[in-house]
Amino acid sequence: MQDWINVNDKLPPIGKRVLCCTKTGWIMVDSYVQTIGQPGREVHWFAGDQEDYNVDVAYWRPLPTPPKRKETDTK
């Protein structure tokens, strides 16, 4: 799996869900939406159906590939 990427170095593709780590250490799945021209709000993230105005993402990485389901797996 790819290493964590600093948001100051590179942002994920717009709208792509990625694994994020905030400056306080929270880990979540989020999407980068756009750059906002407001001071202190350069990175805008979107989680599910809600905009995360106060989320302070510091790093991101692509989501891992989910495991393949085997016929022996139960529901």
Coordinates of all heavy atoms in Angstrom, one line a residue:
M1 N 0.8 -1.2 0.0 CA 0.0 0.0 0.0 C 0.9 1.2 0.0 O 2.0 1.2 0.6 CB -0.9 0.0 1.2 CG -1.8 1.2 1.3 SD -2.8 1.3 2.7 CE -4.3 0.7 2.1
Q2 N 0.4 2.3 -0.6 CA 1.1 3.5 -0.7 C 1.3 4.2 0.7 O 0.4 4.1 1.5 CB 0.4 4.4 -1.7 CG 1.1 5.7 -2.0 CD 0.3 6.5 -3.1 OE1 -0.6 6.0 -3.7 NE2 0.7 7.7 -3.3
D3 N 2.4 4.9 0.8 CA 2.6 5.7 2.1 C 1.6 6.9 2.2 O 1.0 7.3 1.2 CB 4.0 6.2 2.1 CG 5.0 5.1 2.3 OD1 4.7 4.1 2.9 OD2 6.1 5.3 1.9
W4 N 1.5 7.4 3.4 CA 0.7 8.6 3.6 C 1.2 9.8 2.8 O 2.4 10.0 2.7 CB 0.6 9.0 5.0 CG -0.2 8.0 5.9 CD1 0.3 7.0 6.6 CD2 -1.6 8.0 6.0 NE1 -0.8 6.4 7.2 CE2 -1.9 7.0 6.9 CE3 -2.6 8.8 5.5 CZ2 -3.2 6.6 7.2 CZ3 -3.9 8.5 5.8 CH2 -4.2 7.4 6.7
I5 N 0.3 10.6 2.2 CA 0.7 11.8 1.4 C 0.3 13.0 2.1 O -0.9 13.2 2.5 CB 0.0 11.7 0.0 CG1 0.5 10.4 -0.7 CG2 0.4 12.9 -0.9 CD1 -0.4 10.1 -1.9
N6 N 1.2 13.9 2.3 CA 0.9 15.2 2.9 C 0.1 16.0 2.0 O 0.4 16.2 0.8 CB 2.2 15.9 3.2 CG 2.0 17.1 4.1 OD1 1.2 18.0 3.8 ND2 2.8 17.2 5.2
V7 N -1.0 16.7 2.5 CA -1.9 17.5 1.7 C -1.2 18.7 1.2 O -1.6 19.3 0.2 CB -3.2 17.9 2.4 CG1 -4.1 16.7 2.7 CG2 -2.9 18.7 3.7
N8 N -0.1 19.1 1.8 CA 0.7 20.2 1.3 C 1.5 19.9 0.1 O 1.9 20.7 -0.7 CB 1.6 20.8 2.4 CG 0.8 21.4 3.5 OD1 -0.2 22.1 3.3 ND2 1.2 21.2 4.7
D9 N 1.8 18.6 -0.1 CA 2.5 18.1 -1.2 C 1.7 17.7 -2.4 O 2.0 18.0 -3.6 CB 3.4 16.8 -0.9 CG 4.4 17.1 0.2 OD1 4.8 18.3 0.3 OD2 4.8 16.2 0.9
K10 N 0.5 17.1 -2.1 CA -0.4 16.7 -3.2 C -1.8 16.4 -2.6 O -1.9 15.9 -1.5 CB 0.2 15.4 -3.8 CG -0.6 14.9 -5.0 CD 0.0 13.6 -5.5 CE -0.8 13.0 -6.6 NZ -0.3 11.7 -7.1
L11 N -2.8 16.8 -3.4 CA -4.2 16.5 -3.0 C -4.7 15.3 -3.8 O -4.2 15.1 -5.0 CB -5.1 17.7 -3.2 CG -4.8 18.8 -2.2 CD1 -5.5 20.1 -2.7 CD2 -5.2 18.5 -0.8
P12 N -5.6 14.5 -3.3 CA -6.2 13.4 -4.1 C -7.1 14.0 -5.2 O -7.4 15.2 -5.2 CB -7.1 12.7 -3.1 CG -7.4 13.7 -2.0 CD -6.3 14.6 -2.0
P13 N -7.4 13.2 -6.2 CA -8.3 13.6 -7.3 C -9.6 14.0 -6.7 O -10.1 13.5 -5.7 CB -8.5 12.3 -8.1 CG -7.3 11.5 -7.8 CD -6.9 11.8 -6.4
I14 N -10.2 15.1 -7.2 CA -11.5 15.6 -6.7 C -12.5 14.5 -6.8 O -12.7 13.9 -7.8 CB -11.9 16.9 -7.5 CG1 -10.9 18.0 -7.3 CG2 -13.3 17.3 -7.2 CD1 -11.1 19.2 -8.1
G15 N -13.2 14.4 -5.7 CA -14.3 13.4 -5.6 C -14.0 12.0 -5.3 O -14.8 11.2 -5.0
K16 N -12.7 11.7 -5.3 CA -12.2 10.3 -5.0 C -12.2 10.0 -3.5 O -11.6 10.8 -2.8 CB -10.9 10.0 -5.6 CG -10.4 8.6 -5.5 CD -9.2 8.3 -6.3 CE -8.7 6.9 -6.1 NZ -9.3 6.0 -6.9
R17 N -12.8 9.0 -3.0 CA -12.8 8.7 -1.6 C -11.4 8.1 -1.3 O -10.9 7.2 -2.0 CB -13.9 7.7 -1.3 CG -15.3 8.3 -1.5 CD -16.4 7.3 -1.3 NE -16.4 6.7 0.0 CZ -16.9 7.2 1.1 NH1 -17.3 8.5 1.1 NH2 -16.9 6.6 2.3
V18 N -10.8 8.6 -0.2 CA -9.5 8.2 0.3 C -9.5 8.1 1.8 O -10.4 8.6 2.5 CB -8.4 9.3 -0.2 CG1 -8.3 9.3 -1.7 CG2 -8.7 10.7 0.4
L19 N -8.5 7.4 2.3 CA -8.3 7.3 3.7 C -7.6 8.6 4.2 O -6.6 9.0 3.6 CB -7.5 6.1 4.0 CG -7.4 5.6 5.5 CD1 -8.8 5.3 6.0 CD2 -6.5 4.4 5.6
C20 N -8.1 9.3 5.2 CA -7.5 10.5 5.6 C -7.1 10.4 7.1 O -7.7 9.7 7.9 CB -8.6 11.6 5.6 SG -9.2 11.9 3.9
C21 N -6.1 11.2 7.4 CA -5.6 11.4 8.8 C -5.6 12.9 9.1 O -5.0 13.7 8.4 CB -4.2 10.8 9.0 SG -3.6 10.9 10.7
T22 N -6.3 13.3 10.2 CA -6.4 14.7 10.6 C -5.1 15.0 11.4 O -4.4 14.2 11.8 CB -7.6 15.0 11.4 OG1 -7.5 14.3 12.7 CG2 -8.9 14.6 10.7
K23 N -4.9 16.3 11.6 CA -3.8 16.8 12.4 C -3.9 16.3 13.9 O -2.9 16.2 14.5 CB -3.7 18.3 12.4 CG -3.3 18.8 11.0 CD -3.2 20.3 11.0 CE -2.8 20.8 9.6 NZ -2.8 22.2 9.5
T24 N -5.1 15.9 14.3 CA -5.2 15.4 15.7 C -5.2 13.9 15.7 O -5.4 13.3 16.8 CB -6.5 15.9 16.3 OG1 -7.6 15.5 15.5 CG2 -6.5 17.4 16.5
G25 N -5.0 13.2 14.6 CA -4.8 11.8 14.6 C -6.1 11.0 14.2 O -6.0 9.7 14.2
W26 N -7.2 11.6 13.9 CA -8.4 10.9 13.5 C -8.2 10.3 12.2 O -7.7 10.9 11.3 CB -9.6 11.8 13.5 CG -10.1 12.1 14.9 CD1 -9.7 13.2 15.6 CD2 -11.1 11.5 15.6 NE1 -10.4 13.2 16.8 CE2 -11.3 12.1 16.8 CE3 -11.9 10.3 15.3 CZ2 -12.2 11.7 17.8 CZ3 -12.8 9.9 16.3 CH2 -12.9 10.6 17.5
I27 N -8.6 9.0 12.0 CA -8.6 8.4 10.7 C -10.0 8.2 10.2 O -10.9 7.8 10.9 CB -7.9 7.0 10.8 CG1 -6.5 7.1 11.4 CG2 -7.9 6.3 9.4 CD1 -5.5 7.7 10.6
M28 N -10.2 8.6 8.9 CA -11.6 8.5 8.3 C -11.5 8.3 6.8 O -10.5 8.6 6.2 CB -12.4 9.7 8.7 CG -11.8 11.0 8.1 SD -12.5 12.4 8.9 CE -11.3 13.6 8.6
V29 N -12.6 8.0 6.2 CA -12.7 8.0 4.8 C -13.4 9.2 4.4 O -14.5 9.6 4.9 CB -13.5 6.7 4.3 CG1 -13.7 6.8 2.8 CG2 -12.8 5.5 4.7
D30 N -12.9 10.0 3.4 CA -13.4 11.3 3.0 C -13.1 11.5 1.6 O -12.3 10.7 1.0 CB -12.7 12.3 3.9 CG -13.7 13.4 4.4 OD1 -14.8 13.5 3.9 OD2 -13.4 14.0 5.5
S31 N -13.6 12.5 1.0 CA -13.3 12.9 -0.4 C -12.9 14.4 -0.4 O -13.5 15.2 0.3 CB -14.6 12.8 -1.3 OG -15.0 11.4 -1.3
Y32 N -11.9 14.7 -1.2 CA -11.5 16.1 -1.4 C -12.5 16.7 -2.4 O -12.8 16.1 -3.5 CB -10.1 16.1 -1.9 CG -9.7 17.5 -2.3 CD1 -9.5 18.5 -1.4 CD2 -9.5 17.9 -3.6 CE1 -9.1 19.8 -1.7 CE2 -9.1 19.2 -4.0 CZ -9.0 20.1 -3.0 OH -8.6 21.4 -3.4
V33 N -13.0 17.8 -2.1 CA -14.0 18.4 -3.0 C -13.4 19.6 -3.8 O -13.5 19.5 -5.0 CB -15.2 18.9 -2.2 CG1 -16.3 19.6 -3.1 CG2 -15.9 17.8 -1.4
Q34 N -12.9 20.5 -3.2 CA -12.4 21.7 -3.9 C -11.5 22.6 -3.0 O -11.4 22.3 -1.9 CB -13.6 22.5 -4.4 CG -14.4 23.1 -3.3 CD -15.6 23.8 -3.8 OE1 -15.7 24.1 -4.9 NE2 -16.6 24.1 -2.9
T35 N -10.9 23.5 -3.6 CA -10.1 24.5 -2.9 C -11.0 25.7 -2.7 O -11.7 26.2 -3.6 CB -8.9 24.9 -3.7 OG1 -8.1 23.8 -3.9 CG2 -8.1 26.0 -2.9
I36 N -11.1 26.2 -1.4 CA -11.9 27.3 -1.1 C -11.0 28.5 -0.9 O -10.0 28.4 -0.2 CB -12.7 27.1 0.2 CG1 -13.7 25.9 -0.1 CG2 -13.5 28.3 0.6 CD1 -14.5 25.5 1.1
G37 N -11.3 29.7 -1.4 CA -10.4 30.8 -1.3 C -10.6 31.6 0.0 O -10.5 32.8 0.1
Q38 N -10.9 30.9 1.1 CA -11.1 31.6 2.4 C -9.8 31.3 3.3 O -9.4 30.1 3.3 CB -12.3 31.0 3.1 CG -13.6 31.3 2.4 CD -14.8 30.6 3.1 OE1 -14.6 30.1 4.2 NE2 -15.9 30.6 2.4
P39 N -9.3 32.3 4.0 CA -8.1 32.0 4.8 C -8.3 30.9 5.8 O -9.4 30.8 6.4 CB -7.9 33.4 5.5 CG -8.6 34.4 4.7 CD -9.7 33.6 4.0
G40 N -7.4 30.0 5.9 CA -7.5 28.9 6.8 C -8.4 27.7 6.3 O -8.6 26.8 7.0
R41 N -9.0 27.9 5.1 CA -9.9 26.9 4.6 C -9.5 26.4 3.2 O -10.3 26.3 2.3 CB -11.3 27.5 4.6 CG -11.9 27.9 5.9 CD -12.5 26.8 6.7 NE -13.4 26.0 6.0 CZ -14.7 26.4 5.8 NH1 -15.2 27.5 6.3 NH2 -15.5 25.6 5.1
E42 N -8.2 26.2 3.0 CA -7.8 25.9 1.7 C -8.2 24.5 1.2 O -8.2 24.2 0.1 CB -6.2 26.0 1.6 CG -5.7 27.4 1.8 CD -5.7 27.9 3.2 OE1 -5.7 27.1 4.1 OE2 -5.7 29.1 3.4
V43 N -8.4 23.6 2.2 CA -8.8 22.2 1.9 C -10.2 21.9 2.3 O -10.6 22.2 3.5 CB -7.8 21.2 2.5 CG1 -8.2 19.8 2.2 CG2 -6.4 21.5 2.1
H44 N -11.0 21.5 1.4 CA -12.5 21.2 1.7 C -12.7 19.8 1.4 O -12.4 19.2 0.4 CB -13.2 22.1 0.7 CG -14.7 22.1 0.9 ND1 -15.3 23.1 1.7 CD2 -15.7 21.3 0.5 CE1 -16.6 22.9 1.7 NE2 -16.8 21.8 1.0
W45 N -13.3 19.1 2.4 CA -13.5 17.7 2.4 C -15.0 17.3 2.5 O -15.8 18.1 3.0 CB -12.7 17.0 3.5 CG -11.3 17.2 3.3 CD1 -10.5 18.2 3.7 CD2 -10.4 16.3 2.6 NE1 -9.2 18.1 3.3 CE2 -9.1 16.9 2.6 CE3 -10.5 15.1 1.9 CZ2 -8.0 16.4 2.0 CZ3 -9.4 14.6 1.3 CH2 -8.1 15.2 1.4
F46 N -15.4 16.2 2.0 CA -16.8 15.8 1.9 C -16.8 14.3 2.4 O -16.2 13.4 1.8 CB -17.3 15.9 0.5 CG -18.7 15.8 0.3 CD1 -19.5 16.9 0.4 CD2 -19.3 14.5 0.0 CE1 -20.9 16.8 0.2 CE2 -20.7 14.4 -0.1 CZ -21.5 15.6 0.0
A47 N -17.6 14.0 3.5 CA -17.7 12.7 4.0 C -19.2 12.2 3.8 O -20.1 12.8 4.4 CB -17.3 12.6 5.4
G48 N -19.4 11.2 3.1 CA -20.7 10.7 2.9 C -21.6 11.7 2.2 O -21.3 12.1 1.1
D49 N -22.6 12.2 2.9 CA -23.5 13.2 2.3 C -23.4 14.5 3.0 O -24.2 15.4 2.9 CB -25.0 12.7 2.3 CG -25.5 12.4 3.7 OD1 -24.7 12.5 4.7 OD2 -26.7 12.1 3.8
Q50 N -22.3 14.7 3.8 CA -22.1 15.9 4.6 C -20.7 16.6 4.3 O -19.8 15.9 4.2 CB -22.2 15.7 6.1 CG -23.6 15.3 6.5 CD -23.6 15.2 8.0 OE1 -22.7 15.5 8.7 NE2 -24.7 14.7 8.5
E51 N -20.7 17.9 4.2 CA -19.5 18.6 4.0 C -18.8 18.7 5.4 O -19.4 19.0 6.3 CB -19.7 20.0 3.4 CG -20.2 19.9 2.0 CD -20.5 21.2 1.4 OE1 -19.5 22.0 1.3 OE2 -21.6 21.5 1.1
D52 N -17.5 18.4 5.4 CA -16.7 18.5 6.7 C -16.0 19.8 6.7 O -14.8 19.9 6.3 CB -15.7 17.3 6.8 CG -16.4 16.0 7.1 OD1 -17.5 16.0 7.6 OD2 -15.7 15.0 6.9
Y53 N -16.7 20.9 7.1 CA -16.1 22.2 7.1 C -15.0 22.3 8.1 O -14.0 23.0 7.9 CB -17.2 23.3 7.4 CG -18.1 23.5 6.3 CD1 -19.4 23.1 6.4 CD2 -17.7 24.2 5.2 CE1 -20.3 23.3 5.3 CE2 -18.6 24.4 4.1 CZ -19.9 23.9 4.2 OH -20.7 24.2 3.2
N54 N -15.1 21.6 9.2 CA -14.1 21.8 10.3 C -13.0 20.7 10.3 O -12.2 20.7 11.2 CB -14.8 21.8 11.7 CG -15.7 23.0 11.7 OD1 -15.3 24.1 11.3 ND2 -16.9 22.9 12.3
V55 N -13.0 19.8 9.4 CA -12.1 18.7 9.4 C -10.7 19.3 8.9 O -10.6 20.1 8.1 CB -12.5 17.5 8.5 CG1 -12.4 17.9 7.0 CG2 -11.7 16.3 8.8
D56 N -9.7 18.9 9.6 CA -8.3 19.4 9.3 C -7.4 18.3 8.9 O -6.6 17.8 9.6 CB -7.8 20.0 10.6 CG -6.7 21.1 10.4 OD1 -6.4 21.3 9.2 OD2 -6.2 21.6 11.3
V57 N -7.6 17.8 7.6 CA -6.9 16.7 7.1 C -5.4 17.1 6.9 O -5.2 18.1 6.3 CB -7.5 16.2 5.8 CG1 -6.7 15.1 5.1 CG2 -8.9 15.7 6.0
A58 N -4.5 16.3 7.3 CA -3.1 16.5 7.2 C -2.5 15.6 6.1 O -1.6 15.9 5.4 CB -2.4 16.4 8.5
Y59 N -3.0 14.3 6.1 CA -2.4 13.3 5.2 C -3.5 12.5 4.6 O -4.6 12.4 5.2 CB -1.5 12.3 6.0 CG -0.3 13.0 6.6 CD1 -0.4 13.5 7.9 CD2 0.9 13.2 5.9 CE1 0.7 14.1 8.5 CE2 1.9 13.8 6.5 CZ 1.9 14.3 7.8 OH 2.9 14.9 8.3
W60 N -3.3 11.9 3.5 CA -4.3 11.0 2.8 C -3.5 9.9 2.1 O -2.3 9.9 1.9 CB -5.1 11.7 1.9 CG -4.4 12.3 0.7 CD1 -3.7 13.4 0.6 CD2 -4.3 11.6 -0.6 NE1 -3.2 13.6 -0.7 CE2 -3.5 12.5 -1.4 CE3 -4.8 10.4 -1.1 CZ2 -3.2 12.1 -2.7 CZ3 -4.4 10.1 -2.5 CH2 -3.7 11.0 -3.2
R61 N -4.2 8.8 1.8 CA -3.7 7.7 1.0 C -4.9 7.0 0.3 O -6.0 7.0 0.8 CB -2.9 6.7 1.9 CG -3.7 6.0 2.9 CD -2.9 5.2 3.9 NE -2.0 4.3 3.4 CZ -1.0 3.7 4.2 NH1 -1.0 3.9 5.5 NH2 -0.2 2.9 3.6
P62 N -4.6 6.3 -0.8 CA -5.7 5.6 -1.4 C -6.3 4.5 -0.5 O -5.6 4.0 0.3 CB -5.0 5.0 -2.7 CG -3.8 5.8 -2.9 CD -3.3 6.3 -1.5
L63 N -7.5 4.2 -0.7 CA -8.1 3.1 0.0 C -7.5 1.8 -0.4 O -7.2 1.6 -1.6 CB -9.6 3.1 -0.2 CG -10.4 4.3 0.4 CD1 -11.9 4.2 -0.1 CD2 -10.4 4.2 1.9
P64 N -7.4 0.9 0.5 CA -6.9 -0.5 0.1 C -8.0 -1.2 -0.7 O -9.2 -0.9 -0.6 CB -6.6 -1.2 1.4 CG -7.5 -0.5 2.4 CD -7.7 0.9 1.9
T65 N -7.5 -2.1 -1.5 CA -8.5 -3.0 -2.3 C -9.1 -3.9 -1.3 O -8.5 -4.5 -0.5 CB -7.7 -3.8 -3.3 OG1 -6.9 -2.9 -4.1 CG2 -8.6 -4.6 -4.2
P66 N -10.5 -4.0 -1.3 CA -11.2 -4.9 -0.4 C -10.8 -6.4 -0.7 O -10.5 -6.7 -1.8 CB -12.6 -4.6 -0.6 CG -12.7 -3.8 -1.9 CD -11.4 -3.3 -2.2
P67 N -10.9 -7.2 0.3 CA -10.6 -8.6 0.1 C -11.7 -9.2 -0.9 O -12.8 -8.8 -0.9 CB -10.7 -9.3 1.5 CG -11.5 -8.3 2.3 CD -11.3 -7.0 1.7
K68 N -11.2 -10.3 -1.6 CA -12.1 -11.0 -2.5 C -12.9 -12.0 -1.7 O -12.4 -12.7 -0.8 CB -11.4 -11.7 -3.6 CG -10.7 -10.7 -4.5 CD -10.1 -11.4 -5.7 CE -9.4 -10.4 -6.6 NZ -8.9 -10.9 -7.8
R69 N -14.2 -12.0 -1.9 CA -15.1 -12.9 -1.2 C -14.9 -14.3 -1.7 O -14.9 -14.6 -2.9 CB -16.5 -12.5 -1.3 CG -17.5 -13.2 -0.5 CD -18.9 -12.8 -0.8 NE -19.8 -13.8 -0.4 CZ -20.7 -13.6 0.6 NH1 -20.8 -12.4 1.1 NH2 -21.5 -14.5 0.9
K70 N -14.8 -15.3 -0.8 CA -14.7 -16.7 -1.1 C -16.1 -17.3 -1.0 O -16.9 -16.8 -0.2 CB -13.7 -17.4 -0.2 CG -12.3 -16.8 -0.3 CD -11.4 -17.5 0.7 CE -10.1 -16.9 0.7 NZ -9.2 -17.5 1.8
E71 N -16.3 -18.4 -1.7 CA -17.6 -19.1 -1.6 C -17.8 -19.6 -0.2 O -19.0 -19.8 0.2 CB -17.6 -20.2 -2.6 CG -17.8 -19.7 -4.0 CD -18.0 -20.9 -5.0 OE1 -18.5 -21.9 -4.6 OE2 -17.5 -20.7 -6.1
T72 N -16.8 -19.8 0.6 CA -16.9 -20.4 1.9 C -17.2 -19.3 2.9 O -17.6 -19.6 4.1 CB -15.6 -21.1 2.4 OG1 -14.5 -20.2 2.3 CG2 -15.4 -22.3 1.5
D73 N -17.1 -18.0 2.5 CA -17.5 -16.9 3.5 C -19.0 -16.9 3.7 O -19.8 -17.1 2.9 CB -17.1 -15.5 2.9 CG -15.6 -15.3 2.8 OD1 -14.9 -16.1 3.5 OD2 -15.1 -14.4 2.1
T74 N -19.3 -16.6 5.0 CA -20.7 -16.5 5.3 C -21.1 -15.0 5.4 O -20.3 -14.2 5.5 CB -21.0 -17.2 6.7 OG1 -20.2 -16.5 7.7 CG2 -20.7 -18.6 6.7
K75 N -22.4 -14.8 5.4 CA -22.9 -13.4 5.4 C -22.8 -12.8 6.8 O -22.8 -13.4 7.8 CB -24.4 -13.4 4.9 CG -24.5 -13.7 3.5 CD -25.9 -13.6 3.1 CE -26.0 -13.9 1.6 NZ -27.3 -13.7 1.1

